[in-house]
Amino acid sequence: MTIHDFQSLDGVAYGERLERRLAAAKRAFTTRNVDLAAAARLVRSGRRPQAGDLILARVTGLGQHRRLENVHGRRGDLYEGDEIIIAYGNRYAPDQFEAYVPENLGPCHLVAGGGVAALVTSRHASIKPATRIEVIGALVRADGKAVNLADFALVPTQSSRPARVIAVVGSSMNAGKTTTVSGLIHGLSRAGFSVGAAKLTGTGSGGDLWSMRDAGAGLALDFTDAGHASTFGVSDEGLGHVAQLLLARLGAAGMDIAVVEIADGLLQRETAALALTGHARGWFDGFLFAAADAMGAAFGCEWLSKRGIAPLAISGLVTASPLAAREAAMATGIELADLASLRDPVAAARIAFSTPGMRVAA
Amino acid sequence: MPFLKPDLLAPASQPRFRPASHAAMPDCYIANVRPGQPVLVAVHGISRNAAEIAMRFALDPAFAGTTIIAPLFTREAFGQYQQLLARKSGQVRADDALLSLLDDLATEYGIAADRFALFGFSGGAQMAHRFAMFHPHRVRRLCVVSAGWYCMPHTDIAYPHGIGDGKGGAIVGPEFLDIPTTVIVGNRDTRVDASVRQDEIINLRQGRNRLRRARCYTRALRSYAQEQGKDSAPTLLTLPGMSHDFHQCVTEGGLLRIAAQALL
């Protein structure tokens, strides 16, 4: 439905017109848990957006993101003039954008293909300018409160977490964390376990969840299920809530083992905070460290070691190169697990149930 | 953090991987390791799901007071572990390897591994019942589940198909008959696929599928016990609706509850 169609619905009640307009818009993955019937009207100004607030926006100029992942995971083409339903959220992506929730409902950017709106403040040199959007209106309930992802988060459960939880952290974005997670899920599934998966931090996108499910995860959840479009800027307490909520949910679903991914690199604030809190609180039984190269592996393992964490193994892109893998092994003294090992049921179980030893070289 | 929930912490009884101290023993998964309590050795099948077996037992409340040991027998190091046969130079017989492992664990943890309960599933059941034949004084109770085929208590058939020594005698003594033994198999474990050996000598004495073979084995054990003047008799249990799937037998067939009755 175009804006013209919308305006031509003379005599149709506002609520029904809004419902039809929202139904016709391209709805992003990040909003998949939201019941749009909660939206009573659109607010066009006079309100400061919060992370997680839903908006109806119009694409005004195509840039880096020319596709939008819909609620079913299909990445559909975008066209200028398209109306889209997305959520505000900050973005921290060294390979793409740094972006923040704006202070008003003015024009901003589509900063993630999963459907995140923010204002870009910096971008990687090889990345195109962000796709531009204008906000048609924020979705608001009858009581004037914004429709926010947090309102549709999973309800906390008192279930125990899965008996074994392996956290995957990495040296940077695109170091091979998701490949590590998928490989380990596959190997452990073949080893006879019910494996659950969760992406605890990052920016809302279905790609990682789909790959977790494809690998054999019985249930895969992410922070959007906990009510966040992204976790950049979320407080330590908020991150802890996400982790505990998702782990308890995986436990309630009967998963034997959980493989969880913490996005970006260890130098990213939220990544470091959650890794250390999870370790200190006993939420994670072991860590895999995905490194892009040998130097990253050495630094990352030393970083973890100084904080009392010894990874079970090093994985990621570094394992694709025998020479780099050899360097990493010599520098750290820690076993390297390539993709074939992670996918192998015997090797995957051995890695997952190993006892971390403080074997990091000085 | 106000939302911290104690029940989100790891269960104390989860297993952990223990690498072998030397090449003549297998790696293993261990759980609930405490001196002075009963020991259960649980042996995997050819999928080598030792970790899964260890976890299922370790997290089952019935085995909370039992030290769980699940050895991991690789083909490279231990050959045909099911039949206790080392085929190549450098390989170690699985029974010798298991005994080395138990000695090592006893030294390290002070566990009482001189006598233990022995469980095996599929290929592990083959290994377990043969181990009991050769080392009856070490096995307190025996539970074999869904073995592909058995070492029949027939002296006219040579090992590993029977207990014959090839000269008309027995390769093992009759003491294994004194071990309380439970044989379990799913009543749907009748599919004959590539993993079910179809040697003529097996089919002739034991039948073609695992259900039939379990029945033949327990019947033969009873007969052999009578021949030996023993009143021992193995128990045969079938799991309704269960096929050849450890996970299914545990989650749907109540295998661990039955195994607890048989082993503890």
Side-chain angles (χ1 to χ4, degrees), chain B residues 155-225:
Chain B
T155 55
D156 62 326
I157 313 173
Y159 187 82
H161 298 93
I163 59 171
D165 61 3
K167 301 170 191 166
I171 198 170
V172 295
E175 294 82 3
F176 71 92
L177 295 166
D178 299 327
I179 302 170
T181 298
T182 304
V183 177
I184 301 174
V185 64
N187 76 350
R188 294 286 183 87
D189 197 348
T190 54
R191 182 174 178 178
V192 178
D193 58 20
S195 68
V196 184
R197 274 179 65 163
Q198 294 297 302
D199 299 2
E200 189 179 345
I201 190 171
I202 299 174
N203 286 352
L204 197 63
R205 298 287 182 114
Q206 305 183 38
R208 294 188 72 241
N209 62 55
R210 294 186 186 90
L211 176 62
R212 178 77 182 157
R213 288 173 181 180
R215 287 174 172 155
C216 288
Y217 176 66
T218 50
R219 197 158 48 229
L221 267 186
R222 287 191 199 100
S223 296
Y224 189 60

Side-chain angles (χ1 to χ4, degrees), chain B residues 28-102:
Chain B
C28 70
Y29 292 86
I30 54 176
N32 302 341
V33 180
R34 287 181 288 272
Q37 65 182 14
V39 171
L40 168 67
V41 174
V43 187
H44 60 79
I46 58 170
S47 70
R48 292 180 166 76
N49 61 334
E52 184 200 9
I53 288 180
M55 179 179 256
R56 301 281 172 236
F57 277 107
L59 297 183
D60 190 288
F63 292 90
T66 302
T67 294
I68 310 295
I69 301 168
L72 174 59
F73 293 105
T74 61
R75 175 182 287 275
E76 298 75 24
F78 305 104
Q80 293 288 106
Y81 78 99
Q82 308 97 312
Q83 292 137 51
L84 313 181
L85 295 175
R87 297 284 192 191
K88 296 177 184 171
S89 160
Q91 290 181 337
V92 181
R93 273 179 58 137
D95 55 341
D96 293 338
L98 178 57
L99 293 172
S100 292
L101 171 64
L102 294 173

Side-chain angles (χ1 to χ4, degrees), chain A residues 294-295 297-299 301 314 325-334 359-362:
Chain A
M295 188 70 84
F299 176 80
C301 290
I314 296 167
R326 207 179 305 158
E327 288 178 10
M330 287 183 66
T332 64
I334 292 176
R359 293 170 296 176
V360 181

